């Protein structure tokens, strides 16, 4: 078994952050440019795509995309616009260049259509990829250099028994090693207000957690939607409180340092809660997280170089930018979907492993993926992404990404 | 014999680790012990009452209240949407007991 001294070689960015992949990111700025962006990335190694579907811009979506564009796993960016939309690919390229990364941009209308744009895009991607492969400084990394996010989805009765607690055991190891652990889904903390506040590392953190909890409860009440779905009920979960307890088990047992928002990085080592619930806004933008993929994007935007996804019932999704590692507490799900699932925490329920052993084994898997071993979703080229309209009040400049 | 996992000593429900047949006896493991006879068939991942729970009394899992009993739940009974309600979410009580599918938006599927 790998031990926690495990180290590997990563990629040093000009801003001092360290990545576990060295990617070119293609970003489209409106749905109309989506096909061209994907055509550019098709068959290109180490080239991922994200984009925003709307023609009208949204500060939250811009912050999210800029955080992803300057993610530690990203070395260079190509921004592609159609030419009519509000979000400006040139501005994205400027911000990315200011972070010390390479960036290019163009409008499809100015290039003369699809084929010319795809050809130009492929040239730019190839040139930047060659450059970051040749020029990026390689550095040793350990768990202390890692930010790992955890999301759960498709939860069943095993998620709270084995899947999430095994991540909790790993998070304790990660925090003790000096790393950063992030969990989110405050809408899946409903019913746990006192448990949550009791975990605060400081009075300030306690206040942040209380505010985030109260906002989540208000929000769920106002939209009449709690974070449980038909599959959860069929899997044996009956109430949001029950699901919350299972979801909260992924946090492990260490103190919570505070609350961050989407596109904000943790302000120091340790365990953090990510608040992805919309703030009050006259447009009442949508749901807190319409699907698992949006939650994963939020965790990546906070700088997670790797994300763990716990799913009792099984899921096939992956993610761009940061490798996704899929954990299930249900051994039957693992066997049925072994091609897609990375880690079988159900062995804890059969007595094959203790929870502490599961946490250490998961730490070993995270270190191997960080060292370059592809996770199952990476191997299958799963790179689902989801960036939608939402409103969150702009975070403080020192912590945000619009500086 | 199927097993049911009790997470916390204070729990009045346990989670089935395998499908359980009606009238079968399951072994309680984890924070509890002993055997219990299932009064209903129930799939893995679902909850069985470890003792009688009166109407309105809290249902406890993880040592924490996860909602309240809608009716008297006998020992060995399946605990789910038909007899356990969230203290927060009113909609879950209207979902289909087996599939969890919503029933209140059926009129939109035309």
């Amino acid at each position: 078994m790998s031990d926690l001294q495990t180290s590997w070689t990563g990629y040093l960015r000009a801003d001092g952050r360290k990545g576990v992949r060295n990617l070119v990111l293609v970003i489209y700025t409106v749905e109309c440019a989506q096909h061209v962006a994907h055509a550019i990335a098709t068959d290109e190694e180490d080239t991922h795509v994200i984009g925003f579907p709307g023609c009208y811009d949204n500060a939250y979506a811009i912050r999210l995309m800029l955080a992803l564009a300057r993610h530690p796993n990203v070395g260079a960016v190509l921004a592609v616009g159609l030419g009519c939309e509000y979000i400006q690919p040139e501005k994205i390229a400027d911000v990315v260049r200011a972070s010390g990364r390479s960036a290019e941009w163009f409008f499809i209308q100015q290039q003369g259509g699809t084929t010319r744009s795809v050809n130009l895009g492929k040239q730019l991607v190839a040139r930047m990829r060659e450059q970051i492969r040749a020029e990026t400084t390689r550095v040793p990394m350990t768990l202390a250099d890692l930010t790992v996010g955890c999301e759960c989805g498709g939860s069943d009765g095993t998620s709270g028994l084995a899947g999430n607690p095994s991540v909790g055991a790993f998070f304790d190891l990660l925090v003790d090693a000096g790393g950063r652990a992030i969990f989110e889904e405050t809408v899946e903390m409903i019913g746990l207000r006192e448990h949550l506040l009791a975990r605060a590392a400081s009075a300030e953190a306690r206040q942040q957690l209380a505010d985030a909890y109260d906002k989540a409860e208000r929000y769920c009440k106002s939209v009449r939607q709690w974070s449980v779905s038909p599959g959860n009920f069929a899997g044996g979960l009956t109430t949001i409180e029950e699901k919350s307890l299972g979801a909260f088990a992924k946090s492990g047992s260490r103190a919570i340092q505070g609350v961050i928002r989407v596109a904000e990085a943790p302000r120091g080592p340790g365990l953090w809660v990510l608040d992805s619930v919309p703030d009050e806004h006259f447009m009442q933008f949508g749901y807190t997280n319409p699907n698992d993929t949006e939650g994963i994007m939020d965790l990546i935007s906070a700088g997670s170089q790797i994300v763990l996804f716990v799913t009792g019932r099984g899921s096939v999704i992956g993610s761009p930018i940061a490798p996704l590692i899929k954990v299930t507490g249900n051994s039957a799900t693992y066997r049925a979907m072994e091609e897609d699932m990375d880690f079988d925490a159900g062995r804890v329920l059969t007595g094959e492993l203790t929870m502490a052993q599961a946490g250490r084994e998961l730490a070993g898997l995270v270190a191997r993926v960080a060292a370059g071993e592809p996770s199952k979703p990476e191997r299958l080229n799963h790179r689902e992404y989801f960036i939608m309209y939402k409103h969150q009040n702009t975070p403080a400049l020192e912590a945000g990404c619009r500086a | 014999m199927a097993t049911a996992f009790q997470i916390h000593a204070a729990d009045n429900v346990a989670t089935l680790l395998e499908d359980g047949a009606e009238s079968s006896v399951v072994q309680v493991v984890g924070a509890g012990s002993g055997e219990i006879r299932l009064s209903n068939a129930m799939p893995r991942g679902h909850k069985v009452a470890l003792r009688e729970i009166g109407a309105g009394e809290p249902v406890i899992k993880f040592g924490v209240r996860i909602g309240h009993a809608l009716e008297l739940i006998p020992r060995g009974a399946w605990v789910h949407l038909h007899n356990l309600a969230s203290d927060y979410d009113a909609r879950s009580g209207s979902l289909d007991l087996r599939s969890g599918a919503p029933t209140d938006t059926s009129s939109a599927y035309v």
Side-chain angles (χ1 to χ4, degrees):
Chain A
M1 189 191 298
S2 299
D3 66 33
L4 300 179
Q5 301 308 309
T6 301
S7 67
W8 62 91
T9 307
Y11 301 90
L12 180 66
R13 304 299 167 200
D15 55 15
R17 294 157 87 199
K18 297 174 185 174
V20 301
R21 295 289 183 271
N22 198 24
L23 303 171
V24 179
L25 186 63
V26 180
I27 301 177
Y28 61 87
T29 48
V30 65
E31 186 66 11
C32 319
Q34 192 248 103
H35 173 84
V36 165
H38 280 281
I40 289 168
T42 299
D43 297 327
E44 297 289 345
E45 270 182 32
D46 294 334
T47 305
H48 293 185
V49 179
I50 62 164
F52 182 70
C55 183
Y56 303 113
D57 58 0
N58 172 251
Y60 166 90
I62 292 172
R63 283 201 300 274
L64 176 48
M65 284 201 288
L66 291 180
L68 297 172
R70 293 174 291 179
H71 188 278
N73 291 352
V74 172
V77 168
L78 170 62
V80 180
L82 173 66
C84 315
E85 65 273 31
Y86 274 78
I87 294 185
Q88 296 298 302
E90 182 175 11
K91 285 191 179 166
I92 292 176
D94 287 346
V95 169
V96 170
R97 283 193 198 112
S99 77
R101 290 167 175 80
S102 298
E104 298 288 350
W105 73 277
F106 64 81
F107 280 131
I108 294 167
Q109 287 167 345
Q110 290 175 357
Q111 295 307 319
T114 300
T115 304
R116 286 179 186 146
S117 295
V118 172
N119 290 342
L120 173 63
K122 280 186 169 291
Q123 283 171 30
L124 294 170
V125 163
R127 186 168 55 69
M128 288 192 289
R129 185 177 50 215
E130 213 168 292
Q131 186 199 352
I132 62 174
R133 283 179 176 176
E135 295 176 7
T136 306
T137 305
R138 305 299 306 270
V139 282
M141 287 179 76
T142 66
L143 287 178
D145 300 304
L146 273 190
T147 301
V148 179
C150 181
E151 176 84 5
C152 60
S155 297
D156 69 3
T158 68
S159 297
L161 295 182
N164 288 318
S166 69
V167 171
F170 163 65
F171 268 9
D172 284 355
L173 296 174
L174 178 64
V175 167
D176 294 346
R180 294 156 196 231
I182 310 173
F183 67 112
E184 61 128 14
E185 301 168 298
T186 53
V187 290
E188 291 175 9
M189 296 175 196
I190 299 301
L192 304 183
R193 194 175 193 278
E194 294 316 311
H195 296 263
L196 179 67
L197 300 192
R199 291 275 299 279
S202 63
E204 193 189 353
R206 188 181 165 90
Q207 189 57 51
Q208 291 170 6
L209 289 168
D211 291 345
Y213 177 93
D214 293 341
K215 183 178 74 165
E217 191 179 318
R218 268 199 316 276
Y219 187 82
C220 290
K221 250 182 213 152
S222 70
V223 300
R224 283 194 71 244
Q225 181 65 58
W226 305 79
S227 189
V228 281
S229 72
N232 300 143
F233 296 113
L237 297 175
T238 310
T239 65
I240 179 61
E241 300 93 302
E242 181 183 11
K243 182 174 173 181
S244 292
L245 280 153
F248 195 61
K250 71 167 89 76
S251 67
S253 65
R254 299 299 183 253
I256 299 169
Q257 303 301 315
V259 177
I260 54 172
R261 289 169 169 241
V262 174
E264 242 189 309
R267 295 179 283 275
L271 178 67
W272 294 81
V273 168
L274 170 61
D275 169 21
S276 62
V277 175
D279 288 320
E280 313 288 336
H281 188 274
F282 70 96
M283 283 179 82
Q284 281 287 13
F285 289 120
Y287 288 130
T288 163
N289 273 342
N291 52 44
D292 297 325
T293 292
E294 176 156 343
I296 291 165
M297 300 306 290
D298 294 348
L299 289 165
I300 298 173
S301 80
S304 304
Q305 296 109 320
I306 290 178
V307 176
L308 304 173
F309 182 44
V310 180
T311 169
R313 292 176 67 79
S315 171
V316 299
I317 61 171
S319 51
I321 303 169
L324 191 69
I325 294 175
K326 294 219 285 289
V327 175
T328 184
N330 188 330
S331 296
T333 296
Y334 183 82
R335 285 190 297 273
M337 299 178 66
E338 200 171 344
E339 175 190 36
D340 293 281
M341 304 304 304
D342 290 278
F343 189 80
D344 177 16
R347 291 171 294 157
V348 170
L349 296 178
T350 59
E352 214 177 308
L353 281 182
T354 65
M355 201 58 85
Q357 286 170 330
R360 290 186 74 82
E361 205 180 292
L362 199 46
L365 176 59
V366 167
R368 289 201 307 279
V369 169
E373 180 181 310
S375 70
K376 296 263 178 91
E378 279 186 297
R379 214 166 283 171
L380 292 166
N381 292 318
H382 270 289
R383 292 174 198 155
E384 289 82 350
Y385 59 90
F386 191 87
I387 298 174
M388 250 300 151
Y389 290 104
K390 189 186 279 188
H391 174 75
Q392 282 199 322
N393 298 326
T394 308
L397 265 185
E398 46 156 351
C401 69
R402 294 189 100 184
Chain B
M1 191 189 291
T3 48
F5 196 94
Q6 182 179 344
I7 300 166
H8 191 280
D11 291 356
N12 54 17
V13 293
T15 304
L16 256 70
L17 298 184
E18 297 90 23
D19 292 347
E22 186 179 335
S23 299
S24 65
V25 174
V26 300
Q27 177 75 45
V28 179
V29 298
S33 58
E35 295 181 350
I36 199 158
R37 186 175 296 278
L38 304 183
S39 44
N40 320 74
M42 53 191 98
R44 78 185 257 129
H46 284 245
K47 294 175 291 299
V48 57
L50 292 171
R51 51 180 176 269
E52 185 178 284
I53 305 167
E57 283 182 15
V59 173
I60 309 287
K61 183 180 172 187
F62 304 90
V64 173
R65 178 187 176 112
I66 62 165
H68 56 275
L70 291 170
E71 58 191 34
L72 183 128
I73 304 176
R75 181 173 193 267
W78 180 29
V79 179
H80 201 33
L81 298 162
H82 58 302
N83 55 14
L84 162 60
S86 167
D87 296 338
Y88 297 85
D89 175 12
R91 190 184 184 192
S92 59
S94 72
L95 301 171
D96 181 80
L97 181 59
R98 295 271 163 195
S99 68
T103 57
D104 56 352
T105 48
S106 304
S107 60
Y109 294 90
V110 289

